[in-house]
Amino acid sequence: MCRNCVKESCPDRGSCCLETGTYLMNYAGCCQCNKKTDINNIDKKSENDVDGNETVTYKHVCQTCDHVIARHEYTFSVDDEFQEYTMNCVLCGYGEATVSILPDDPRQQRLF
């Protein structure tokens, strides 16, 4: 992971969790070749374990010189009544979200 290629290392992205793609607004340019060309996302791996948890990892790589800019990790899991998502990447940032799988989110119910 190269912190010299990004404007801000691991920015807080709130509940934004990207399974694929690149946060280009945070890309300063490749520190190795000094160019700001497109980024390739390579070595994509998706792993599922027996509990249904999924982890997707890949590398953000400079299209010009193959310099590795960052390693991107995305996870998805189901925990009781909620789906949980996380993203961790020097370029794309850190984010996490929890979404109810029920028609009415129990966290949003009001007492009458």
Side-chain angles (χ1 to χ4, degrees):
M1 296 184 290
C2 184
R3 299 182 192 282
N4 297 324
C5 295
V6 298
K7 295 175 184 175
E8 179 183 352
S9 179
C10 238
D12 183 358
R13 299 293 303 279
S15 62
C16 177
C17 298
L18 304 172
E19 181 179 355
T20 61
T22 305
Y23 183 43
L24 290 174
M25 290 182 65
N26 193 37
Y27 182 49
C30 180
C31 70
Q32 189 166 335
C33 68
N34 296 318
K35 294 185 179 177
K36 191 172 182 178
T37 58
D38 287 338
I39 296 174
N40 291 329
N41 299 325
I42 61 168
D43 294 332
K44 184 174 180 179
K45 294 181 185 176
S46 181
E47 299 175 5
N48 292 316
D49 67 14
V50 283
D51 296 331
N53 298 335
E54 179 182 10
T55 301
V56 176
T57 58
Y58 57 92
K59 295 176 187 170
H60 297 291
V61 178
C62 174
Q63 189 174 31
T64 303
C65 68
D66 292 329
H67 173 67
V68 176
I69 298 160
R71 181 181 170 275
H72 189 103
E73 181 178 277
Y74 165 87
T75 62
F76 167 79
S77 63
V78 177
D79 183 30
D80 293 326
E81 302 170 344
F82 299 97
Q83 294 176 332
E84 297 184 8
Y85 305 87
T86 63
M87 172 183 72
N88 192 6
C89 177
V90 169
L91 175 63
C92 298
Y94 178 78
E96 61 183 352
T98 302
V99 179
S100 174
I101 60 174
L102 300 174
D104 295 317
D105 189 340
R107 298 171 298 173
Q108 303 296 324
Q109 291 180 356
R110 299 180 186 172
L111 297 174
F112 293 101

